[in-house]
Amino acid sequence: MTKIISRPLVATGHKRPFLLISAVYFLLAITYGVVTPIFEAPDENLHYFTAQWIADNGRLPFVPQTAEEAERLDLQLSWTGQEAAQPPLYYLLASLVVAPFETDQARQLTRPNRFVQFGDASAMHNKNAFVHDPLYENWPWRGHVLAVHLLRLISTVIGWVTLFFIYQAARCFWPERPLRALWSMGAIACLPQFLALHAAVSNDVLAIVLVTAVLYFLMRSDIESARETGGPAWSVDLWLGLGVGLAALSKNQGVVLAVFVLGTVLIRGTGRLPARALFGRLVRISLMIVLVAGWLWWRNWWLYGDPTATNQFVAIAGGDRGYTVWQALSEWRGLWLSSIAVFGWFNILPPFWVHLIWTAGGGTAVCVALWLYFSRLVWPKTVAEMWRWLGSWPVLLFGWVLAVTAGLISFMMQTPAAQGRLLFPALLPIALLIGFGWDAFLEWMRANLLTIGGRQADFDGRPFRWALLIVLLSLHSYLLFGVISPTYARPLTLTSAEVPAHLQTPQVLSDQLTLLGVDIVTPEDGIVAGEMIELLLYWEKTAEIPTGERPQVVVDVLGREQTPLGKLQTLHGGGNYPADFWAKGEIILDRLFVPTFNELDADQLPVESQIWVKIAGQELSVPIGGVKLAPEQWPALASSPVAQLGDAIELVSVDISQTDVAPGETVTVDVVWQARDRVAQDWVTFVHLGRPNQPPLAQGDRPPLNGTYRTSLWRAGEQFVDPYQLVIPQEAEPGEYRLLLGMFNPADPTFARLPVRVEGEPQAENGLVIGMINISE
């Protein structure tokens, strides 16, 4: 029996770059863990509290199957969630870390943010799933906060072990090209999502490292086994079975790994080993897997009727959604983005160029690797050659990627799970592709294209490595301190002198909070439906807030006839700094973004919306100003308007509801306005019913849209319908009367009218006769 050949852990001459990659990884991963508040990674609270529940109770949690069990375990399930049905190895090990800490107050100090925007990267605040009290979470850490950060650090160490196995696998695959091992390791070490995952409490990290270790050990034991010896030693099979069993105890990808390992041993051993020896290998590995993980599968079958307990995940998530394969694949974009960089609870999305950079870098390497492989491949011509090709390590490793992907798609068909981290058990083959591709690409570039001072550029030299390091550190610094950190930042604390004097209009909105001033930060031309209104609110805490109370800010955006056009309800500080955390007398600048509704009726727009602010539960609501709200698209401007009013306003058409009326009836006049240019001031429309040189018999004078859309808000390209109503007086004498329309300046003592022209001709009285009304007896 041939044993595995030993070799130096790091290739000769590569110790410094290996240590540099490791140091950069630790620096970045630890910083990700410090910058991200606890429990602000997906399901991190559930992972932690599952471990704490085991530490507190000394046994495994489970998902209740009856109403009686659900009532008895309601508290447990609310803190462990679906993780109660997860393979338990990670939680058992994590419970050993948690046990020594004082965690009695962990649940009381873990305060959910009820307004969190899960999965919504467009939200401007309330991205924090939990409210973070600086008294307990700031340095120095203690209690459960310290336990969480210690588990995060352990995740970081586990991530480095994964990188180590990737490096070793690449060396095993290309023993004569050790540089490819550095590229493979470095590519994963700088992946933002890999760093974020390994800066969090998650059972994924243990599953990933175990799968990677098993794949490396399987590949190395096969490659380094002499064909004539009858296969690897028994100990190799036992170690393989142990690794697969532990992986299955960590996450259900271990089941897929078991099938892959046994299939690989069968394919690689056929024709190389005697049938008896091959059968013996399969039996030894299988028995070891069952010995390690079989008890869990039996327990799941006994409790849930499913050896993998997948049915419990689906049930807790709301039941099987019954997707087809194509429906699951339609979620590819979320899967792609979250494989590279999506932070928080899937609601912190960096700019798209970040994903393009990593996609271009990794995609280029993968394409080069695939091209080189297939361009050099001698295609099999016989069944025997085809079998050998299917059993080659490049094909087998590609098969592992397909197996992991297929397993995830199958899961996505049942429940929402388009999360890139669930593909990370397939990182080893991807890393090898990238390492091979980049090494080959840069070698080709050096040999064929780039020269410096008449000499070939040294891509392996120190200048290139340092330049690459600076770029990567700059990108990650941006992600850490330009994307993640601002999301969880507290609002500014000000002194009274720092509150702009022109904004100070104090409003006492509760016994504890005073709104000192407001600034509406909105473009002068307003916003369209669906966009957000930016507000700067200056608050002062005037008294202590009773224990258990947490004031909420309510902002209402109202249109015509008090129609709701938008709304925001949130904790202060956009969810990051509730008022009960403030000191008495503290003044904060609260920056809020109020969403307006996407779906608004056509007759609700355009409008100068009114914004009201109050504290939830309080009766007093105060107006703080208005914002122009326009439709996303205006009708096309008419090329031949009926008349022009001044230089900017045009009358497109007039529709009179009826021309034969009786006293007491109402006439509705629908006017269609359009603006050719910006209107400088506010004008009031007049609609007069009467005879020339006589006082109006009836009139409908008012600002456009009943005062909800002042003319000074009009901009070029706008067109809308504006209805007016006139009530015919009871004493009106029968006869025919004209309807005269125009606009006047309400601020002018003489009520000067806006000049009216029809085809360039000025109209008498600066008004336009738009129709005749016949009043009957």
Side-chain angles (χ1 to χ4, degrees), residues 441-485:
F441 177 72
L442 294 177
E443 183 180 1
W444 178 82
M445 290 281 288
R446 179 179 55 193
N448 295 279
L449 293 182
L450 298 184
T451 59
I452 299 177
R455 299 168 56 190
Q456 289 182 342
D458 184 8
F459 284 98
D460 302 335
R462 184 176 299 177
F464 177 73
R465 291 200 299 266
W466 283 109
L468 181 60
L469 178 62
I470 291 172
V471 170
L472 289 175
L473 288 177
S474 299
L475 286 171
H476 281 289
S477 297
Y478 167 72
L479 293 176
L480 286 163
F481 304 109
V483 175
I484 298 176
S485 182

Side-chain angles (χ1 to χ4, degrees), residues 362-378:
T364 299
V366 169
C367 290
V368 169
L370 292 176
W371 179 79
L372 287 175
Y373 173 75
F374 285 106
S375 65
R376 299 171 183 176
L377 176 66
V378 178

Side-chain angles (χ1 to χ4, degrees), residues 254-336:
V255 177
V256 182
L257 180 65
V259 176
F260 177 80
V261 168
L262 293 173
T264 298
V265 170
L266 177 62
I267 293 173
R268 296 287 295 177
T270 300
R272 295 173 52 186
L273 297 176
R276 184 175 180 179
L278 178 58
F279 180 75
R281 290 204 68 192
L282 296 174
V283 170
R284 289 191 294 272
I285 295 172
S286 299
L287 286 177
M288 193 63 180
I289 293 173
V290 172
L291 181 64
V292 175
W295 68 270
L296 174 65
W297 298 330
W298 177 86
R299 178 180 184 267
N300 288 339
W301 180 266
W302 180 66
L303 287 175
Y304 312 124
D306 181 352
T308 64
T310 301
N311 58 356
Q312 300 307 297
F313 285 86
V314 175
I316 292 174
D320 191 342
R321 60 179 179 173
Y323 269 28
T324 65
V325 173
W326 294 113
Q327 285 176 307
L329 289 175
S330 68
E331 298 178 347
W332 67 269
R333 188 174 187 275
L335 196 61
W336 164 52

